[in-house]
């Protein structure tokens, strides 16, 4: 539709854009056109009413309180249900409607991931349908940033985001900064590091980042508990100058004064362009008592010679500390 409208307006910039939109939709969606048109206009109105910038690196989660809020998405899905019914007897038109619905289905899944506390069976059904449709229509990728293809996304979603894991002893822990995150990420990190909600493939929500420096903080669990493992979850996204850290060190204390080593891991340099999540985990053979968990992260700080950002500050991002 965008290509059609831009081409028409290059020939005559005085044409009515709304009429062009309707003409395209009538020809492309047939009897489903009125419902897709309503969806498009409601989406536009929701964005304008939210007064929120539409940014190139947004994720659906960025607009979960605006044009993608619960009530809006409910209405959008109702319109797509009507659109599918209107062309149910025409396989070509039905495919076009279902293809156009995929971004909305993706938004539903991403917002459910970020919010938590949803109907698990409903989310599983939505995930299965999204996987089925993206496979049927041979969708190669979700966006241009080397993120996992839809099949891998669905597998990762089931493993990473759906409930069922053992409880995190650090859930809701107080964060005490030693080396604060960069800019806006300090405020976000006070909850995002211990909310049991894992970040997605975009860094605009859930992730907490440091630019050009090392990072360090302490988690106060509130009381002494037996600990056998500590794990940090890191994002690798070379295209956004987000590199894995060089080393992660965990130490523990019962009084926030005397700390003893729990474990540390050095990470090899990763030059792969794929977006990925890397867990950095340390275990001990038998439980040790701890109330305070200190996490120290040595970043790359500067983009290396092989990276196109060579010489400029690099980032590292972490979104969850899991204590078992």
């Amino acid at each position: 539709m965008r290509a059609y409208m831009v081409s028409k307006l290059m020939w005559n910039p005085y044409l009515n854009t709304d009429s062009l939109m309707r003409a395209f939709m009538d020809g492309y969606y047939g009897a489903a056109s009125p419902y897709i048109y309503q969806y498009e206009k409601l989406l536009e109105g929701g964005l304008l009413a939210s007064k929120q910038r539409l940014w190139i690196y947004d994720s659906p989660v960025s607009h979960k309180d605006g044009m993608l809020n619960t009530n809006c998405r409910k209405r959008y899905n109702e319109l797509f249900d009507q659109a599918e019914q209107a062309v149910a007897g025409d396989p070509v038109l039905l495919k076009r409607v279902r293809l156009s619905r995929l971004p909305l289905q993706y938004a539903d899944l991403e917002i459910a991931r970020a919010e938590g506390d949803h109907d698990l069976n409903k989310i599983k059904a939505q995930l299965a349908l999204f996987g089925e449709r993206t496979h049927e229509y041979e969708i190669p990728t979700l966006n241009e940033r080397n993120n996992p293809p839809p099949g891998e996304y669905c597998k990762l979603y089931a493993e990473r985001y759906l409930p069922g894991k053992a409880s995190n002893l650090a859930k809701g822990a107080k964060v005490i900064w030693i080396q604060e995150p960069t800019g806006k990420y300090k405020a976000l990190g006070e909850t995002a590091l211990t909310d049991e909600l894992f970040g997605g493939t975009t860094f605009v929500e859930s992730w907490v980042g440091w630019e050009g420096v090392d990072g360090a903080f302490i988690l106060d669990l509130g009381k002494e508990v037996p600990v056998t493992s500590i794990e940090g979850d890191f994002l690798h996204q070379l295209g956004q100058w987000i590199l894995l850290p060089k080393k992660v060190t965990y130490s523990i204390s019962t009084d926030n004064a005397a700390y003893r080593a729990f474990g540390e891991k050095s990470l090899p340099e990763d030059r792969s362009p794929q977006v990925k999540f890397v867990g950095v985990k340390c275990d001990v053979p038998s439980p040790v008592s701890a109330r305070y968990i200190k996490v120290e992260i040595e970043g790359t700080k500067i983009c290396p010679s092989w990276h196109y950002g060579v010489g400029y500050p690099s980032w590292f991002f972490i979104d969850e500390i899991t204590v078992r």
Side-chain angles (χ1 to χ4, degrees), residues 192-318:
L193 288 174
T194 60
D195 60 4
E196 291 192 316
L197 297 175
F198 285 83
T201 52
T202 57
F203 59 91
V204 295
E205 40 83 16
S206 293
W207 295 99
V208 182
W210 285 256
E211 182 187 30
V213 295
D214 297 327
F217 54 89
I218 295 168
L219 298 182
D220 179 0
L221 306 183
K223 62 180 180 179
E224 287 188 35
V225 294
V227 174
T228 56
S229 74
I230 304 172
E231 181 175 10
D233 189 60
F234 291 87
L235 177 65
H236 171 83
Q237 193 174 116
L238 291 188
Q240 301 301 329
W241 302 11
I242 302 169
L243 281 65
L244 294 176
K246 290 183 176 181
K247 185 171 71 173
V248 181
T249 303
Y250 304 118
S251 51
I252 59 173
S253 172
T254 57
D255 60 4
N256 198 24
Y259 278 84
R260 58 180 173 137
F262 185 88
E264 70 173 36
K265 284 199 174 177
S266 296
L267 283 76
E269 185 176 74
D270 191 335
R271 301 188 183 189
S272 63
Q274 285 75 27
V275 176
K276 64 181 73 170
F277 312 110
V278 177
V280 180
K281 184 179 182 181
C282 290
D283 299 278
V284 293
S286 57
V288 291
S289 184
R291 171 175 172 173
Y292 299 93
I293 308 289
K294 183 187 291 184
V295 181
E296 298 170 283
I297 307 151
E298 181 184 349
T300 55
K301 302 182 188 66
I302 299 296
C303 292
S305 59
W306 51 265
H307 191 276
Y308 60 81
V310 57
Y312 286 89
S314 61
W315 288 82
F316 71 83
F317 276 84
I318 185 172

Side-chain angles (χ1 to χ4, degrees), residues 59-71:
S59 81
V61 182
S62 305
H63 295 270
K64 69 182 180 66
D65 297 318
M67 67 176 179
L68 294 176
N69 67 52
T70 302
N71 289 332

Side-chain angles (χ1 to χ4, degrees), residues 14 50 118 124:
Y14 302 104
S50 72
H118 286 266
K124 286 181 176 179

